[in-house]
Amino acid sequence: MDSRLLATLNAQAGSTRDPVIWARAVCRAASHFARHGRTDDALISIGVVRAQFKTELHHEVASWLMLAEGVLHYFKAQTRQAYDRIRRAYGLAVALRTESALPSCAAWMAHIEFFDSKYDEMAKHLEEALTLATPDDHQARARASLVLAMSYHLADEYQLARPWYERARLHAAAEGDEATLSAMLHDVAAYRASNVRLVDTFGGDIEKEAHRASMETSSSVNFDFAIGHQGLDFLTLMLQGLIFTINRKFSDALRVFDQINFESVPEKMRPSINVDRAWCLVNTDRRDRAWELAEAALIDIGTIVEDDEIAYAYSRLSQVAAECGRLSESVDFRDHAERALERHRAFQERLLAKLNGLNTENKNPA
């Protein structure tokens, strides 16, 4: 069943004689399809707009079209191409003062920069999106609010993240944007699980937070199933596998990890999957295969960018090595893990200061 947002966009496209309003609605529909994993439908919508305007693209249409193409690239896990297209859309909106597209372009720039660990650029674009978007620009404000919430959560400040998750939810619900609601539910679960897994490997009480992460993951998976959401489905499998791992349901975790198409996973995420699989195999008495995966993770560990990911990967490797009788390697891995965790804690403090310094007050009321 199509969402209320898509029904609204189809109605806008069908009821207007203004080619720019029509194109904007169709481009937004293309982004909607892309975020749901409906690649063919997204390509059809983009093709219809290009066919209508050919080489004479109106500047506003060009920004919305390139934004839609960038979102499509992103949900095909083509991050570099996505950033290039969205940056072009944003640059055009800035140069030609395309006020309708600029806040959404800035919000998506911030989204990609967050996942590419470009936090200075992310902060700039977050502030731009939140101060320029009108109160009823639900697309821009939902996306920017979600990125800000994730950023606070990454800084281990869930209480500060929570109101921004709520703003993202309210803006998404206002126009029936189920894809953003899906992303919000996933991100709440994923960032809680990410914090829990560090405690799990470095030592500490995880029972309460692990239970919350499990409940949030179940809500995310059930919502995606209900709406037929399939965008970046490997992330859902990774999260489910991690939750099973944290809860020591190792056979269930391996069953989920085996469903992941490794070719669809960005390179920097692969070592974490392999260390989780190795840990599960150790705990199901398959130590030889576990060490093979540990060695595979070590080969690729240099692709990891974020220090929390590095800390987690080395910490799990330390546990695997100890179980496999490789004690000197276990000690070495633990040293790498502790140094990475120390860097991550310092980063969290810097990120929190950056986020708290943002101006998020709207300058352009409706």
Side-chain angles (χ1 to χ4, degrees), residues 103-121:
S104 288
C105 291
W108 275 102
M109 287 284 286
H111 177 100
I112 292 184
E113 287 156 351
F114 173 84
F115 285 105
D116 205 23
S117 304
K118 297 177 179 177
Y119 299 107
D120 289 337
E121 295 94 330

Side-chain angles (χ1 to χ4, degrees), residues 334-352:
R334 176 59 57 179
D335 181 59
H336 280 293
E338 288 175 351
R339 282 188 278 131
L341 184 61
E342 185 177 344
R343 294 194 302 270
H344 177 62
R345 297 304 186 212
F347 155 76
Q348 287 180 310
E349 292 180 6
R350 295 193 303 272
L351 178 60
L352 181 60

Side-chain angles (χ1 to χ4, degrees), residues 70 76 84 97 135 139 155 164 189 208 232 254 260 366:
K76 292 169 67 179
D84 177 70
R97 299 181 181 178
Q139 176 183 218
W164 289 101
K208 185 176 180 180
L232 297 178
L254 287 168
I260 296 175

Side-chain angles (χ1 to χ4, degrees), residues 96-206:
L96 298 178
R97 299 181 181 178
T98 308
E99 294 180 1
S100 71
L102 180 54
S104 288
C105 291
W108 275 102
M109 287 284 286
H111 177 100
I112 292 184
E113 287 156 351
F114 173 84
F115 285 105
D116 205 23
S117 304
K118 297 177 179 177
Y119 299 107
D120 289 337
E121 295 94 330
M122 177 204 75
K124 168 184 174 292
H125 289 119
L126 271 183
E127 190 168 83
E128 193 169 29
L130 289 167
T131 56
L132 293 181
T134 57
D136 61 351
D137 188 346
H138 300 299
Q139 176 183 218
R141 299 189 76 79
R143 183 59 48 180
S145 296
L146 181 57
V147 174
L148 186 50
M150 291 190 294
S151 301
Y152 272 122
H153 214 158
L154 178 60
D156 201 19
E157 290 287 346
Y158 178 68
Q159 292 307 314
L160 295 176
R162 190 172 180 177
W164 289 101
Y165 279 129
E166 179 63 10
R167 291 190 195 191
R169 185 190 70 80
L170 290 172
H171 282 293
E175 59 178 7
D177 183 356
E178 291 173 344
T180 297
L181 291 172
S182 168
M184 186 209 71
L185 289 171
H186 173 87
D187 292 336
V188 169
Y191 283 95
R192 190 183 301 279
S194 182
N195 291 331
V196 170
R197 69 182 182 171
L198 287 175
V199 179
D200 186 41
T201 55
F202 282 90
D205 182 11
I206 67 166

Side-chain angles (χ1 to χ4, degrees), residues 128-329:
E128 193 169 29
L130 289 167
T131 56
L132 293 181
T134 57
D136 61 351
D137 188 346
H138 300 299
Q139 176 183 218
R141 299 189 76 79
R143 183 59 48 180
S145 296
L146 181 57
V147 174
L148 186 50
M150 291 190 294
S151 301
Y152 272 122
H153 214 158
L154 178 60
D156 201 19
E157 290 287 346
Y158 178 68
Q159 292 307 314
L160 295 176
R162 190 172 180 177
W164 289 101
Y165 279 129
E166 179 63 10
R167 291 190 195 191
R169 185 190 70 80
L170 290 172
H171 282 293
E175 59 178 7
D177 183 356
E178 291 173 344
T180 297
L181 291 172
S182 168
M184 186 209 71
L185 289 171
H186 173 87
D187 292 336
V188 169
Y191 283 95
R192 190 183 301 279
S194 182
N195 291 331
V196 170
R197 69 182 182 171
L198 287 175
V199 179
D200 186 41
T201 55
F202 282 90
D205 182 11
I206 67 166
E207 183 176 353
K208 185 176 180 180
E209 285 295 285
H211 178 68
R212 287 180 177 175
S214 298
M215 296 294 290
E216 289 162 351
T217 298
S218 295
S219 295
S220 173
V221 171
N222 290 337
F223 183 79
D224 282 355
F225 179 78
I227 66 173
H229 180 76
Q230 298 179 355
L232 297 178
D233 57 352
F234 68 84
L235 291 175
T236 299
L237 293 172
M238 287 176 63
L239 177 58
Q240 287 180 291
L242 175 60
I243 292 296
F244 280 133
T245 302
I246 290 170
N247 288 320
R248 305 189 66 79
K249 297 180 179 180
F250 299 114
S251 295
D252 290 331
L254 287 168
R255 173 181 52 78
V256 172
F257 287 136
D258 286 344
Q259 297 175 46
I260 296 175
N261 174 12
F262 236 58
E263 296 302 314
S264 69
V265 178
E267 191 177 28
K268 69 178 183 177
M269 295 183 180
R270 295 175 188 178
S272 295
I273 299 174
N274 275 333
V275 297
D276 279 334
R277 293 170 69 200
W279 181 236
C280 292
L281 287 165
V282 158
N283 283 279
T284 52
D285 295 321
R286 285 175 278 180
R287 286 174 172 76
D288 289 344
R289 177 58 179 152
W291 188 249
E292 288 177 8
L293 288 174
E295 290 182 316
L298 277 171
I299 290 171
D300 294 333
I301 207 163
T303 63
I304 305 178
V305 176
E306 299 85 358
D307 280 317
D308 60 330
E309 295 284 345
I310 294 171
Y312 175 69
Y314 272 117
S315 188
R316 276 288 188 228
L317 285 170
S318 177
Q319 292 176 313
V320 172
E323 291 293 329
C324 292
R326 298 172 177 268
L327 299 184
S328 63
E329 288 160 294

